[in-house]
């Protein structure tokens, strides 16, 4: 599985459009456990709040990922026949497999709307799907924005569009 560090050189050397052309998929970056010796997590108990200018929703700003954090591209696999949906769940028949007992076999799916917006839909999972801490109503679409925290059961991720991931990497490149 690719890691954040695998994309840093391309983010430094490519213009935004070229990067997005090379890596067009949205992605999930798993939220690593707090602590673990990473100096960027020294002040992890201090929360930074931000307001999404599009939704006016207040959320906790995500911690920057570590270079070794995984990057999970949201793309179709040959394991799922559901056109237009990126399935996420515990079993191998999903496009994105999350091997955790709190994740349902077929937990949720991502779908792109006509305006290129990505929406997330819970499929009546046992332990629920959350966006920025708010439980999704089953079968009801929720639009996602860069930096949204998405949780499937106990497993937490940060969502990024291709452009949002580039912007994140550029901000990380500036501090490394």
């Amino acid at each position: 599985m690719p890691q954040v560090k695998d994309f840093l050189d391309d983010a430094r050397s490519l213009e935004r459009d070229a990067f997005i052309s090379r890596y067009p998929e949205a992605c999930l970056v798993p939220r690593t456990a707090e602590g673990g010796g990473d100096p960027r997590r020294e002040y992890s108990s201090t929360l930074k709040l931000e307001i999404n200018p599009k939704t006016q929703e207040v959320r906790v700003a995500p911690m920057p990922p570590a270079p070794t954090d995984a990057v999970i591209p949201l793309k179709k696999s040959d394991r799922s026949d559901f056109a237009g949906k990126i399935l996420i769940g515990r079993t191998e028949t999903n496009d994105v497999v999350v091997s955790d007992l709190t994740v349902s076999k077929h937990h949720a799916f991502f779908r792109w709307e006509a305006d290129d917006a990505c929406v997330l839909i819970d499929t009546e999972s046992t332990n629920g799907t959350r966006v920025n801490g708010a439980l999704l109503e089953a079968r009801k679409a929720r639009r996602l924005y860069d930096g949204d925290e998405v949780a499937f059961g106990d497993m937490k991720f940060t969502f990024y569009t291709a452009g949002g991931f580039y912007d994140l990497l550029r901000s990380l490149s500036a501090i490394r």
Side-chain angles (χ1 to χ4, degrees):
M1 180 165 304
Q3 297 176 332
V4 170
K5 67 182 178 181
D6 299 329
F7 299 91
L8 284 172
D9 286 340
D10 283 344
R12 284 186 195 111
S13 63
L14 296 174
E15 295 295 323
R16 192 173 204 271
D17 289 342
F19 182 89
I20 293 170
S21 178
R22 186 174 289 179
Y23 307 107
E25 294 91 12
C27 65
L28 296 175
V29 177
R31 291 273 183 112
T32 56
E34 300 300 328
D38 188 337
R40 290 169 303 115
R41 304 201 195 288
E42 178 180 349
Y43 300 104
S44 62
S45 63
T46 302
L47 299 178
K48 177 183 171 189
L49 298 178
E50 63 186 16
I51 299 174
N52 182 323
K54 295 176 181 154
T55 64
Q56 299 302 305
E57 179 181 77
V58 176
R59 67 178 180 196
V60 175
M63 289 290 295
T68 56
D69 284 350
V71 176
I72 304 167
L74 295 179
K75 62 182 178 181
K76 286 299 295 172
S77 71
D78 57 0
R79 298 183 299 260
S80 164
D81 293 332
F82 293 96
K85 298 176 182 179
I86 308 288
L87 303 176
I88 188 162
R90 194 175 70 237
T91 64
E92 294 295 324
T93 57
N94 291 288
D95 299 302
V96 176
V97 177
V98 179
S99 299
D100 185 88
L101 291 176
T102 64
V103 176
S104 293
K105 291 178 185 176
H106 302 289
H107 198 100
F109 64 89
F110 297 89
R111 181 180 70 214
W112 274 259
E113 303 289 306
D115 63 353
D116 286 333
C118 181
V119 297
L120 177 60
I121 300 164
D122 180 84
T123 58
E124 300 178 9
S125 63
T126 302
N127 293 310
T129 302
R130 289 177 166 65
V131 175
N132 299 324
L135 185 64
L136 296 186
E137 186 178 327
R139 304 281 178 200
K140 187 173 179 188
R142 165 70 189 265
R143 184 177 179 151
L144 297 177
Y145 296 93
D146 289 313
D148 278 347
E149 179 187 80
V150 178
F152 307 100
D154 292 341
M155 302 301 295
K156 294 180 181 179
F157 303 85
T158 304
F159 170 84
Y160 296 101
T161 61
F165 187 55
Y166 174 81
D167 295 341
L168 169 73
L169 293 170
R170 292 292 293 206
S171 72
L172 295 175
S173 295
I175 61 174
R176 293 186 207 267

